Amino acid sequence: MRSSTGEAVILLSGDTLPQIPQTTLTDMIKAAAAVLSAAELKTVNNAVPTLGTGPPDFHVRINGNELTVYRLTDD
């Protein structure tokens, strides 16, 4: 999805990242393809398999629900 500033981010429910099944990762990439440019989609493709290997960028709590946010960069 995109942040309020237009930056590409991955938003996951929960405060920790459990083991994500490959089918879920594939679905995330397919959903991203609907809203991201080709370059951003390439970044998502590279970033999704590494989710959870480093700390998230930040957490957001909305109505008692914790969301984990990962910013996508070309690094």
Side-chain angles (χ1 to χ4, degrees):
M1 74 180 306
R2 293 197 184 276
S3 70
S4 60
T5 61
E7 170 184 41
V9 298
I10 293 178
L11 183 65
L12 301 171
S13 62
D15 61 355
T16 60
L17 188 65
Q19 182 66 25
I20 300 176
Q22 184 60 43
T23 55
T24 301
L25 296 176
T26 301
D27 289 344
M28 288 172 63
I29 292 169
K30 286 179 183 177
V35 296
L36 300 178
S37 70
E40 290 169 328
L41 188 57
K42 182 178 178 184
T43 300
V44 169
N45 232 351
N46 293 335
V48 165
T50 63
L51 288 177
T53 60
D57 291 294
F58 57 93
H59 297 280
V60 177
R61 184 173 294 277
I62 301 172
N63 296 327
N65 297 308
E66 182 96 14
L67 302 172
T68 302
V69 180
Y70 292 89
R71 288 186 175 116
L72 298 181
T73 63
D74 295 328
D75 300 346

